[in-house]
Amino acid sequence: MSYSVGQVAAFAGVTVRTLHHYDEIGLLSPGDRSHAGHRRYDDADLDRLQQILFYRELGFPLDEVAVLLDDPGADPAEHLRRQHGLLTERIEQLQRMATAVEHAMEAKKMGIQLTPEEKFEVFGDFDPDEHKEEVEQRWGDTEAYRESQRRTASYTKEDWLRIQAEANGLNERIAALLASGAAEDSPEAMDLAEEHRQQIVRHYYDCTYDVHTCLAEMYVTDERFTATYEAIRPGMAAFLRGAILANAARNA
């Protein structure tokens, strides 16, 4: 028995255009043609289409699917074993994602969302939500990010104001030390760098010395961070970076 392209498209839940494309690139060429030249698909073609759609659902590009299906050393049972393993991994990944979403939902229930007015009161003209997507892309898969999300989810406006005041006070002392002419690796500068690290540990996540030095590099390579510190006092971004690196070396 053979089937028309329209019938196969209906069986598989794909478009006729998709089947034409698979034929054009040699991924799935029908085993027969009608007298009028129309494509006719047999059971073997349907089996191959099912394999194609399996791999496509798992995210494989079409050129890799072709290589897998045309591998002379692979039999149908091998394809099924491979797909079973890949699906098992996908299920485990989805389960981990579901658990993460559940934790986020719990955190939202516990937390208090700041109103726009409260956000302005706490952060001034800096809106953390504007940078949320970038932060998630850069650090979303790290334990530090997850820990920070869990801890800050329950912070109130008063908590944020207290944390901001603490950070501002430290920045003022760092700027004053810079103005005094102290060296970046002076004991006073390293002590302030350690206090900077401890603030992160207290309020956000376990900031190791390695992580702290990575942050320090970002203060001078990311113009947004640099501008923030330079607005407090010119040269402060580089001074803080040097103090953080010296403090990390002191504690190595």
Side-chain angles (χ1 to χ4, degrees):
M1 182 177 292
S2 64
Y3 308 91
S4 70
V5 65
Q7 288 175 311
V8 174
F11 295 157
V14 298
T15 65
V16 170
R17 185 175 180 178
T18 295
L19 294 176
H20 286 176
H21 178 61
Y22 289 173
D23 186 9
E24 290 166 359
I25 65 175
L27 181 60
L28 177 63
S29 297
D32 198 7
R33 295 269 178 171
S34 69
H35 292 299
H38 299 305
R39 297 172 174 84
R40 302 294 300 181
Y41 295 82
D42 57 25
D43 289 338
D45 296 328
L46 296 184
D47 287 341
R48 184 177 176 89
L49 176 58
Q50 185 181 49
Q51 299 293 335
I52 293 169
L53 297 180
F54 265 129
Y55 284 118
R56 289 294 291 146
E57 180 64 24
L58 291 168
F60 283 75
L62 292 178
D63 55 348
E64 291 186 21
V65 174
V67 172
L68 288 169
L69 294 183
D70 295 332
D71 179 2
D75 58 22
E78 175 61 27
H79 283 299
L80 290 173
R81 283 192 293 270
R82 180 187 292 120
Q83 289 164 358
H84 182 270
L86 293 169
L87 286 169
T88 299
E89 292 178 8
R90 174 69 65 85
I91 290 170
E92 292 174 352
Q93 180 186 29
L94 291 173
Q95 287 175 335
R96 290 193 297 270
M97 292 174 62
T99 300
V101 171
E102 289 170 1
H103 289 165
M105 291 168 62
E106 292 172 2
K108 290 294 183 184
K109 290 178 182 178
M110 295 171 57
I112 298 176
Q113 295 297 316
L114 299 183
T115 66
E117 293 78 12
E118 289 173 333
K119 284 184 181 179
F120 188 85
E121 182 180 353
V122 172
F123 299 107
D125 60 359
F126 172 79
D127 185 357
D129 288 345
E130 290 182 0
H131 304 274
K132 183 176 181 181
E133 183 176 349
E134 178 185 354
V135 171
E136 289 177 347
Q137 290 176 347
R138 294 178 68 173
W139 298 292
D141 61 347
T142 65
E143 180 54 32
Y145 175 82
R146 290 188 287 270
E147 182 183 356
S148 178
Q149 289 294 100
R150 287 193 297 269
R151 294 171 66 176
T152 60
S154 61
Y155 285 178
T156 65
K157 183 188 76 172
E158 289 70 28
D159 291 328
W160 283 117
L161 288 171
R162 175 176 48 80
I163 292 168
Q164 193 67 30
E166 185 177 323
N168 290 341
L170 176 59
N171 285 336
E172 290 173 2
R173 285 184 284 131
I174 295 172
L177 185 62
L178 169 61
S180 73
E184 298 172 351
D185 59 353
S186 65
E188 295 83 1
M190 289 188 286
D191 288 345
L192 289 178
E194 177 63 20
E195 188 174 339
H196 182 275
R197 188 183 73 87
Q198 289 297 335
Q199 282 190 2
I200 299 173
V201 172
R202 261 195 319 278
H203 303 307
Y204 301 106
Y205 56 87
D206 182 19
C207 182
T208 64
Y209 290 104
D210 286 340
V211 171
H212 203 207
T213 57
C214 290
L215 291 176
E217 295 298 338
M218 194 164 56
Y219 295 160
V220 295
T221 58
D222 188 318
E223 61 184 13
R224 294 165 299 182
F225 284 99
T226 304
T228 297
Y229 286 115
E230 293 300 293
I232 299 172
R233 185 170 187 85
M236 183 170 166
F239 181 79
L240 179 57
R241 171 189 175 275
I244 290 173
L245 297 182
N247 183 57
R250 178 175 66 170
N251 289 277

